């Protein structure tokens, strides 16, 4: 009897990358967007989520998001809207985040880059605009919240699960970082948390179309961590 050929598997990898935009003020209020300021000094009723506070859109953030979309070959959605993502957590004092669910600003798009000498195309699903959460710092005897980051402009760039190795993901994130930097969209300073990725990985038999069960590794702030997480 002939032995069965061993089944071959492939990884399918998608990245959700949060990029903090280079704006002077926050997404929905006039508070300064400034790194390293004294905690809880760049805050107001809007970004602290006081009842009755009215958010006002930051035009520069929309301009930068559309510019990012054009640089990545996205279609700019002529009609876009905002949604509330409800969750209870100390880093979001309103108990909801303003984001875009079904009508994001940018649709589709792609990144073409070289991986080990081979030119590859990685397709995007969408880019949506949202607001950042505050920053929690956990110490042994308690937790601290700094609302200076709450409400700063944040884009989420969502790729399709079109990558198949850590090398693919590394090349993708490096190319994305360069495009964001040279386009003036973001400084992409990883240490300041300007760029963070959630990595979705699933495994399926080669030849199968349906994706396998997905595992999400959240908040990777450097390309080398992304590579380690995938491997
Ligand atoms: Zn504010």
């Amino acid at each position: 009897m002939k032995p069965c050929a061993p089944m071959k598997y492939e990884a399918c990898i998608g990245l959700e990358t949060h990029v903090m935009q280079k704006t002077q003020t926050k997404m929905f209020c006039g508070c300064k967007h400034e790194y390293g300021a004294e905690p809880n000094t760049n805050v107001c009723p809007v970004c602290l989520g006081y009842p009755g506070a009215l958010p006002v859109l930051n035009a520069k953030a929309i301009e930068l998001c559309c510019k990012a979309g054009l640089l990545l070959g996205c279609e700019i959605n002529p009609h876009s809207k905002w949604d509330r993502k409800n969750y209870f957590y100390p880093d979001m004092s309103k108990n909801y985040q303003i984001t875009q669910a079904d009508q994001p600003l940018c649709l589709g798009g792609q990144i073409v880059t070289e991986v080990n000498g081979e030119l590859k195309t990685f397709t995007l699903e969408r880019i949506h605009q949202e607001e950042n959460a505050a920053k929690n710092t956990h110490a042994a005897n308690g937790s601290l919240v700094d609302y200076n980051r709450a409400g700063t402009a944040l884009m989420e760039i969502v790729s399709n699960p079109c990558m198949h190795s850590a090398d693919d993901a590394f090349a993708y994130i490096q190319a994305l970082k360069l495009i964001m930097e040279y386009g003036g969209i973001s400084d992409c300073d990883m240490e300041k948390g300007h760029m963070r990725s959630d990595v979705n990985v699933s495994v399926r038999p080669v030849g199968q179309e349906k994706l396998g069960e997905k595992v999400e590794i959240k908040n990777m702030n450097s390309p080398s961590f992304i590579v380690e997480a995938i491997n």
Side-chain angles (χ1 to χ4, degrees):
M1 209 166 87
K2 229 170 80 182
C4 291
M7 199 181 251
K8 284 214 169 94
Y9 290 90
E10 69 174 354
C12 296
I13 301 155
L15 260 60
E16 294 171 20
T17 305
H18 285 102
V19 176
M20 271 176 88
Q21 289 139 285
K22 219 159 56 170
T23 55
Q24 307 251 302
T25 55
K26 296 189 183 182
M27 190 63 226
F28 295 107
C29 62
C31 289
K32 251 204 244 170
H33 171 202
E34 180 186 25
Y35 185 81
E38 189 73 16
N40 298 309
T41 50
N42 291 329
V43 291
C44 76
V46 173
C47 57
L48 288 175
Y50 285 16
L54 289 174
V56 177
L57 198 58
N58 183 336
K60 185 69 185 174
I62 302 300
E63 185 193 315
L64 290 177
C65 186
C66 292
K67 194 175 173 191
L70 292 172
L71 287 168
L72 294 168
C74 304
E75 182 193 328
I76 308 301
N77 197 350
H79 178 86
S80 140
K81 70 172 186 39
W82 303 99
D83 297 281
R84 289 181 174 188
K85 188 172 170 183
N86 290 280
Y87 71 95
F88 175 76
Y89 204 64
D91 69 3
M92 187 56 80
S93 54
K94 298 198 292 285
N95 290 340
Y96 63 83
Q97 177 192 34
I98 304 176
T99 181
Q100 301 190 296
D102 57 331
Q103 291 285 341
L105 270 174
C106 310
L107 303 163
Q110 59 183 28
I111 290 179
V112 182
T113 188
E114 215 173 89
V115 187
N116 303 324
E118 188 192 338
L119 206 58
K120 288 191 178 179
T121 300
F122 301 115
T123 57
L124 303 178
E125 185 195 313
R126 58 190 277 159
I127 307 176
H128 60 261
Q129 181 68 54
E130 57 188 28
E131 57 175 342
N132 213 342
K135 189 172 166 42
N136 290 330
T137 306
H138 303 290
N141 54 353
S143 292
L144 301 164
V145 193
D146 177 7
Y147 285 98
N148 284 350
R149 203 180 69 185
T152 50
L154 192 70
M155 298 184 306
E156 184 169 331
I157 300 170
V158 183
S159 85
N160 287 312
C162 57
M163 291 164 243
H164 299 293
S165 68
D167 284 354
D168 283 357
F170 186 80
Y172 168 90
I173 202 74
Q174 295 286 40
L176 180 62
K177 186 171 179 282
L178 280 179
I179 294 166
M180 293 300 107
E181 283 170 353
Y182 279 85
I185 316 290
S186 173
D187 289 331
C188 293
D189 189 329
M190 304 279 192
E191 277 176 19
K192 292 180 183 167
H194 288 171
M195 203 175 180
R196 309 190 297 270
S197 295
D198 298 340
V199 183
N200 294 302
V201 185
S202 63
V203 174
R204 67 181 173 193
V206 170
Q208 179 183 302
E209 205 176 316
K210 192 171 170 274
L211 291 170
E213 195 70 38
K214 186 172 82 174
V215 172
E216 188 177 33
I217 308 133
K218 290 187 89 82
N219 270 323
M220 303 279 107
N221 69 349
S222 93
S224 60
F225 290 156
I226 291 173
V227 166
E228 256 184 75
I230 293 168
N231 285 337

